[in-house]
Amino acid sequence: MRCTVFGTGYLGATHAACMAELGHDVVGVDVDPGKVAKLADGVVPFYEPGLDEVLQRNLAAGRLRFTTDYEDAAAHADVHFLGVGTPQKKGEYGADLKYVHAVVDTLVPMLERPAMIVGKSTVPVGTAAALGIRARALTDIDVEVAWNPEFLREGFAVQDTLRPDRLVLGLDRTRERADWVEQHIRDIYADLIDAEIPFLLTDLATAELVKVSANAFLATKISFINAVSEVCEATGADVTMLADALGYDARIGRRFLNAGLGFGGGCLPKDIRAFMARSGELGADHAVAFLREVDNINMRRRTKVVDMAARACGGSLLGANVAVLGAAFKPESDDVRDSPALNVAGMIQLHGAVVTVYDPKAVENSRRVFPTLNYATSVAEACDRADVVLVLTEWNEFTDLTPADLEPVVRSRSIIDGRNCLDRHAWRDAGWVYAGLGTP
């Protein structure tokens, strides 16, 4: 089948390439000519394992191309996926839908036959219905709006698109062509449905709420164990052992119970805030009031690590040399949006320290956000004459470190494990001062 994907960021580029991998004829559309040129040349403008191979394979096969031309896209297909960003509004909690609206306002007047806009982006509940009204006000042609939320994890985005754990499609059943929309989406995902991946049909509002509810739940689970880690710190208990014990309970499970620096990235923080904002607009803010404390706990972890760094340097960071290992918000990604690691590095610098950051993939993105920090090209360079080393993103390159790797270069044998990902006994046995979060 033919389809288009509007937006070529993490979501859109991955979705476009993977729809081509499923055998469809796909056009990716973006207003950024530089991004389009890179993708057309087979270059992924961000780090996502495996995506470059999928992109290049389908460009070569002729199933995938990229353009800035909306008219070209409008003529190409009847199915138009919407994968643009919905960032947090400046100075507010709510989601900024200007990119979503821009696609609809530009595309719809160019349509010459009945078409569907299928949302992938994470949006406030009620957006899809409003977009349907907005689209049909722009044309006499029948335009349907459906919602098919994404559930991508950065670092696993290709896998999560080609073999998701579920497919959700929200439809407006009051529309006569709802069955037409459903059949087209079933055809596009036929291989996945044949592979017995669950396909859930819902109304529009439910489909919109699935993704943001999932993110809110994960954020709550992460902040829960981080709150418990604060109690562990006050009592001498071990949050890692505690989490292992909790994880054996089938009702709870072990995943996302890793205490540490907390969550970040382009989804969880802004999505839970947008969820709170939209719930307030609907008069249901009391129902998600707990998310404000989830957010507070998460941000409190960052200042905790800054305080730990100051204690490691004798009570003051002024003039200290601090090595920060990790800048991306998670391993296997170069994404530094709302990165706890980079935020901590910036706060430590504001306290007067000389901060040197190393990350295997995120240095260039970090430099654009925090140009005043020092950046290294290796662990050894970052840790040269360091008074304290902070491990803030759990890349394998960092979790595999041994005390012998760093002893020749550091000034003080002091390490803060912001992800509880190191063997604290091995470091202490080697004579290092080790500090973790929620661990004795």
Side-chain angles (χ1 to χ4, degrees), residues 120 148-152 160-161 163-169 192 196-200 210-211 213-215 218:
K120 300 291 297 180
N148 171 220
E150 57 88 9
F151 302 104
L152 305 187
D160 289 345
T161 306
R163 282 296 178 268
D165 50 19
R166 77 284 207 196
L167 293 164
V168 176
L169 177 64
L192 307 186
E196 299 186 345
I197 289 167
F199 185 84
L200 289 78
V210 169
K211 174 62 187 294
S213 298
N215 279 352
L218 295 179

mmCIF file of all heavy atoms in Angstrom, residues 120 148-152 160-161 163-169 192 196-200 210-211 213-215 218:
data_model
loop_
_atom_site.group_PDB
_atom_site.id
_atom_site.type_symbol
_atom_site.label_atom_id
_atom_site.label_comp_id
_atom_site.label_asym_id
_atom_site.label_seq_id
_atom_site.Cartn_x
_atom_site.Cartn_y
_atom_site.Cartn_z
ATOM 1 N N LYS A 120 0.035 9.396 15.018
ATOM 2 C CA LYS A 120 0.979 8.597 15.796
ATOM 3 C C LYS A 120 1.479 9.378 17.012
ATOM 4 O O LYS A 120 1.874 8.780 18.010
ATOM 5 C CB LYS A 120 2.197 8.221 14.938
ATOM 6 C CG LYS A 120 1.898 7.406 13.698
ATOM 7 C CD LYS A 120 1.429 6.005 14.022
ATOM 8 C CE LYS A 120 2.458 5.176 14.744
ATOM 9 N NZ LYS A 120 1.971 3.801 15.064
ATOM 10 N N ASN A 148 -3.508 6.110 16.072
ATOM 11 C CA ASN A 148 -2.746 4.857 16.166
ATOM 12 C C ASN A 148 -1.454 5.163 16.945
ATOM 13 O O ASN A 148 -0.402 5.336 16.365
ATOM 14 C CB ASN A 148 -2.460 4.357 14.748
ATOM 15 C CG ASN A 148 -1.496 3.199 14.673
ATOM 16 O OD1 ASN A 148 -0.658 3.157 13.775
ATOM 17 N ND2 ASN A 148 -1.594 2.247 15.573
ATOM 18 N N PRO A 149 -1.550 5.253 18.285
ATOM 19 C CA PRO A 149 -0.419 5.741 19.078
ATOM 20 C C PRO A 149 0.827 4.875 18.945
ATOM 21 O O PRO A 149 0.748 3.667 18.722
ATOM 22 C CB PRO A 149 -0.958 5.714 20.517
ATOM 23 C CG PRO A 149 -2.065 4.722 20.486
ATOM 24 C CD PRO A 149 -2.689 4.847 19.132
ATOM 25 N N GLU A 150 1.983 5.536 19.085
ATOM 26 C CA GLU A 150 3.254 4.819 19.046
ATOM 27 C C GLU A 150 3.664 4.424 20.458
ATOM 28 O O GLU A 150 3.299 5.079 21.428
ATOM 29 C CB GLU A 150 4.332 5.690 18.390
ATOM 30 C CG GLU A 150 4.560 7.045 19.049
ATOM 31 C CD GLU A 150 5.585 7.022 20.171
ATOM 32 O OE1 GLU A 150 6.257 5.979 20.338
ATOM 33 O OE2 GLU A 150 5.692 8.024 20.884
ATOM 34 N N PHE A 151 4.453 3.339 20.543
ATOM 35 C CA PHE A 151 4.959 2.871 21.829
ATOM 36 C C PHE A 151 6.455 2.577 21.709
ATOM 37 O O PHE A 151 6.942 1.535 22.140
ATOM 38 C CB PHE A 151 4.204 1.618 22.286
ATOM 39 C CG PHE A 151 2.719 1.826 22.407
ATOM 40 C CD1 PHE A 151 1.848 1.330 21.444
ATOM 41 C CD2 PHE A 151 2.183 2.526 23.478
ATOM 42 C CE1 PHE A 151 0.480 1.524 21.555
ATOM 43 C CE2 PHE A 151 0.817 2.723 23.599
ATOM 44 C CZ PHE A 151 -0.044 2.222 22.634
ATOM 45 N N LEU A 152 7.178 3.509 21.090
ATOM 46 C CA LEU A 152 8.592 3.284 20.815
ATOM 47 C C LEU A 152 9.451 3.582 22.033
ATOM 48 O O LEU A 152 9.238 4.556 22.737
ATOM 49 C CB LEU A 152 9.063 4.170 19.659
ATOM 50 C CG LEU A 152 8.291 4.077 18.340
ATOM 51 C CD1 LEU A 152 9.012 4.893 17.272
ATOM 52 C CD2 LEU A 152 8.137 2.639 17.904
ATOM 53 N N ASP A 160 10.463 -2.154 18.108
ATOM 54 C CA ASP A 160 9.134 -1.829 18.629
ATOM 55 C C ASP A 160 8.138 -1.486 17.525
ATOM 56 O O ASP A 160 6.928 -1.550 17.750
ATOM 57 C CB ASP A 160 9.232 -0.652 19.606
ATOM 58 C CG ASP A 160 9.899 -1.036 20.912
ATOM 59 O OD1 ASP A 160 10.025 -2.245 21.179
ATOM 60 O OD2 ASP A 160 10.307 -0.133 21.657
ATOM 61 N N THR A 161 8.640 -1.097 16.344
ATOM 62 C CA THR A 161 7.747 -0.815 15.215
ATOM 63 C C THR A 161 7.440 -2.076 14.428
ATOM 64 O O THR A 161 6.289 -2.313 14.038
ATOM 65 C CB THR A 161 8.368 0.234 14.279
ATOM 66 O OG1 THR A 161 8.715 1.402 15.037
ATOM 67 C CG2 THR A 161 7.382 0.643 13.182
ATOM 68 N N ARG A 163 7.872 -5.253 15.487
ATOM 69 C CA ARG A 163 7.286 -6.300 16.326
ATOM 70 C C ARG A 163 6.804 -5.679 17.639
ATOM 71 O O ARG A 163 7.329 -5.954 18.714
ATOM 72 C CB ARG A 163 8.295 -7.417 16.594
ATOM 73 C CG ARG A 163 8.470 -8.394 15.425
ATOM 74 C CD ARG A 163 7.164 -9.165 15.156
ATOM 75 N NE ARG A 163 7.276 -10.081 14.022
ATOM 76 C CZ ARG A 163 6.966 -9.765 12.761
ATOM 77 N NH1 ARG A 163 6.547 -8.541 12.471
ATOM 78 N NH2 ARG A 163 7.071 -10.649 11.804
ATOM 79 N N PRO A 164 5.768 -4.835 17.559
ATOM 80 C CA PRO A 164 5.268 -4.173 18.772
ATOM 81 C C PRO A 164 4.563 -5.166 19.684
ATOM 82 O O PRO A 164 4.196 -6.271 19.263
ATOM 83 C CB PRO A 164 4.280 -3.144 18.212
ATOM 84 C CG PRO A 164 3.799 -3.758 16.941
ATOM 85 C CD PRO A 164 4.977 -4.485 16.370
ATOM 86 N N ASP A 165 4.379 -4.776 20.949
ATOM 87 C CA ASP A 165 3.650 -5.673 21.848
ATOM 88 C C ASP A 165 2.143 -5.532 21.694
ATOM 89 O O ASP A 165 1.389 -6.401 22.140
ATOM 90 C CB ASP A 165 4.071 -5.482 23.306
ATOM 91 C CG ASP A 165 4.054 -4.028 23.742
ATOM 92 O OD1 ASP A 165 3.398 -3.224 23.075
ATOM 93 O OD2 ASP A 165 4.711 -3.710 24.753
ATOM 94 N N ARG A 166 1.694 -4.448 21.046
ATOM 95 C CA ARG A 166 0.273 -4.305 20.705
ATOM 96 C C ARG A 166 0.122 -3.189 19.690
ATOM 97 O O ARG A 166 0.960 -2.306 19.568
ATOM 98 C CB ARG A 166 -0.602 -4.033 21.922
ATOM 99 C CG ARG A 166 -0.592 -2.604 22.490
ATOM 100 C CD ARG A 166 0.631 -2.313 23.273
ATOM 101 N NE ARG A 166 0.448 -1.295 24.295
ATOM 102 C CZ ARG A 166 1.466 -0.668 24.890
ATOM 103 N NH1 ARG A 166 2.724 -0.919 24.557
ATOM 104 N NH2 ARG A 166 1.242 0.221 25.837
ATOM 105 N N LEU A 167 -0.984 -3.255 18.952
ATOM 106 C CA LEU A 167 -1.390 -2.199 18.023
ATOM 107 C C LEU A 167 -2.729 -1.654 18.510
ATOM 108 O O LEU A 167 -3.633 -2.428 18.822
ATOM 109 C CB LEU A 167 -1.555 -2.743 16.600
ATOM 110 C CG LEU A 167 -0.294 -3.212 15.881
ATOM 111 C CD1 LEU A 167 -0.671 -4.077 14.680
ATOM 112 C CD2 LEU A 167 0.537 -2.018 15.422
ATOM 113 N N VAL A 168 -2.824 -0.342 18.586
ATOM 114 C CA VAL A 168 -4.064 0.289 19.028
ATOM 115 C C VAL A 168 -4.553 1.227 17.932
ATOM 116 O O VAL A 168 -3.773 2.014 17.399
ATOM 117 C CB VAL A 168 -3.854 1.080 20.339
ATOM 118 C CG1 VAL A 168 -5.138 1.813 20.727
ATOM 119 C CG2 VAL A 168 -3.400 0.154 21.456
ATOM 120 N N LEU A 169 -5.815 1.134 17.586
ATOM 121 C CA LEU A 169 -6.410 2.028 16.586
ATOM 122 C C LEU A 169 -7.683 2.634 17.139
ATOM 123 O O LEU A 169 -8.635 1.921 17.468
ATOM 124 C CB LEU A 169 -6.714 1.281 15.284
ATOM 125 C CG LEU A 169 -7.409 2.103 14.196
ATOM 126 C CD1 LEU A 169 -6.509 3.250 13.729
ATOM 127 C CD2 LEU A 169 -7.823 1.237 13.013
ATOM 128 N N LEU A 192 1.839 -7.876 10.748
ATOM 129 C CA LEU A 192 1.904 -7.878 12.201
ATOM 130 C C LEU A 192 0.686 -8.584 12.798
ATOM 131 O O LEU A 192 0.809 -9.345 13.763
ATOM 132 C CB LEU A 192 1.992 -6.444 12.732
ATOM 133 C CG LEU A 192 3.097 -5.558 12.154
ATOM 134 C CD1 LEU A 192 3.138 -4.221 12.890
ATOM 135 C CD2 LEU A 192 4.448 -6.247 12.248
ATOM 136 N N GLU A 196 0.042 -12.454 14.999
ATOM 137 C CA GLU A 196 -0.737 -12.529 16.235
ATOM 138 C C GLU A 196 -0.370 -11.458 17.254
ATOM 139 O O GLU A 196 -0.491 -11.649 18.462
ATOM 140 C CB GLU A 196 -0.637 -13.933 16.855
ATOM 141 C CG GLU A 196 -1.188 -15.020 15.933
ATOM 142 C CD GLU A 196 -1.227 -16.390 16.597
ATOM 143 O OE1 GLU A 196 -0.569 -16.556 17.642
ATOM 144 O OE2 GLU A 196 -1.909 -17.277 16.064
ATOM 145 N N ILE A 197 0.086 -10.324 16.744
ATOM 146 C CA ILE A 197 0.264 -9.176 17.624
ATOM 147 C C ILE A 197 -1.119 -8.607 17.931
ATOM 148 O O ILE A 197 -1.917 -8.387 17.009
ATOM 149 C CB ILE A 197 1.171 -8.122 16.954
ATOM 150 C CG1 ILE A 197 2.610 -8.647 16.918
ATOM 151 C CG2 ILE A 197 1.112 -6.789 17.691
ATOM 152 C CD1 ILE A 197 3.535 -7.883 16.047
ATOM 153 N N PRO A 198 -1.458 -8.389 19.190
ATOM 154 C CA PRO A 198 -2.807 -7.924 19.542
ATOM 155 C C PRO A 198 -3.162 -6.612 18.830
ATOM 156 O O PRO A 198 -2.360 -5.678 18.793
ATOM 157 C CB PRO A 198 -2.724 -7.722 21.053
ATOM 158 C CG PRO A 198 -1.629 -8.636 21.499
ATOM 159 C CD PRO A 198 -0.626 -8.632 20.386
ATOM 160 N N PHE A 199 -4.356 -6.580 18.271
ATOM 161 C CA PHE A 199 -4.863 -5.406 17.561
ATOM 162 C C PHE A 199 -6.120 -4.955 18.295
ATOM 163 O O PHE A 199 -7.137 -5.651 18.293
ATOM 164 C CB PHE A 199 -5.172 -5.763 16.110
ATOM 165 C CG PHE A 199 -5.588 -4.595 15.260
ATOM 166 C CD1 PHE A 199 -4.640 -3.772 14.679
ATOM 167 C CD2 PHE A 199 -6.933 -4.319 15.023
ATOM 168 C CE1 PHE A 199 -5.021 -2.695 13.874
ATOM 169 C CE2 PHE A 199 -7.325 -3.249 14.230
ATOM 170 C CZ PHE A 199 -6.356 -2.436 13.655
ATOM 171 N N LEU A 200 -6.029 -3.796 18.940
ATOM 172 C CA LEU A 200 -7.135 -3.305 19.756
ATOM 173 C C LEU A 200 -7.828 -2.145 19.062
ATOM 174 O O LEU A 200 -7.195 -1.132 18.749
ATOM 175 C CB LEU A 200 -6.624 -2.835 21.128
ATOM 176 C CG LEU A 200 -6.160 -3.899 22.124
ATOM 177 C CD1 LEU A 200 -4.766 -4.399 21.761
ATOM 178 C CD2 LEU A 200 -6.146 -3.335 23.540
ATOM 179 N N VAL A 210 -4.091 5.940 25.848
ATOM 180 C CA VAL A 210 -3.277 4.747 26.087
ATOM 181 C C VAL A 210 -1.807 5.111 26.286
ATOM 182 O O VAL A 210 -1.170 4.697 27.262
ATOM 183 C CB VAL A 210 -3.428 3.731 24.937
ATOM 184 C CG1 VAL A 210 -2.383 2.631 25.062
ATOM 185 C CG2 VAL A 210 -4.813 3.116 24.936
ATOM 186 N N LYS A 211 -1.237 5.883 25.351
ATOM 187 C CA LYS A 211 0.198 6.171 25.431
ATOM 188 C C LYS A 211 0.524 7.029 26.651
ATOM 189 O O LYS A 211 1.471 6.740 27.399
ATOM 190 C CB LYS A 211 0.657 6.884 24.162
ATOM 191 C CG LYS A 211 2.111 7.376 24.181
ATOM 192 C CD LYS A 211 3.093 6.226 24.320
ATOM 193 C CE LYS A 211 4.531 6.711 24.502
ATOM 194 N NZ LYS A 211 5.064 7.406 23.335
ATOM 195 N N SER A 213 -1.108 7.377 29.382
ATOM 196 C CA SER A 213 -1.340 6.617 30.610
ATOM 197 C C SER A 213 -0.195 5.640 30.864
ATOM 198 O O SER A 213 0.245 5.467 32.008
ATOM 199 C CB SER A 213 -2.666 5.854 30.528
ATOM 200 O OG SER A 213 -3.749 6.744 30.383
ATOM 201 N N ALA A 214 0.289 5.005 29.795
ATOM 202 C CA ALA A 214 1.431 4.099 29.942
ATOM 203 C C ALA A 214 2.652 4.848 30.443
ATOM 204 O O ALA A 214 3.360 4.387 31.354
ATOM 205 C CB ALA A 214 1.731 3.414 28.606
ATOM 206 N N ASN A 215 2.910 6.023 29.878
ATOM 207 C CA ASN A 215 4.062 6.809 30.322
ATOM 208 C C ASN A 215 3.899 7.285 31.761
ATOM 209 O O ASN A 215 4.859 7.306 32.536
ATOM 210 C CB ASN A 215 4.272 8.006 29.393
ATOM 211 C CG ASN A 215 5.000 7.617 28.125
ATOM 212 O OD1 ASN A 215 5.479 6.495 27.989
ATOM 213 N ND2 ASN A 215 5.099 8.534 27.185
ATOM 214 N N LEU A 218 4.670 4.291 34.038
ATOM 215 C CA LEU A 218 6.107 4.007 34.121
ATOM 216 C C LEU A 218 6.817 5.061 34.956
ATOM 217 O O LEU A 218 7.692 4.746 35.779
ATOM 218 C CB LEU A 218 6.708 3.934 32.723
ATOM 219 C CG LEU A 218 6.218 2.783 31.846
ATOM 220 C CD1 LEU A 218 6.878 2.845 30.476
ATOM 221 C CD2 LEU A 218 6.495 1.439 32.496
#
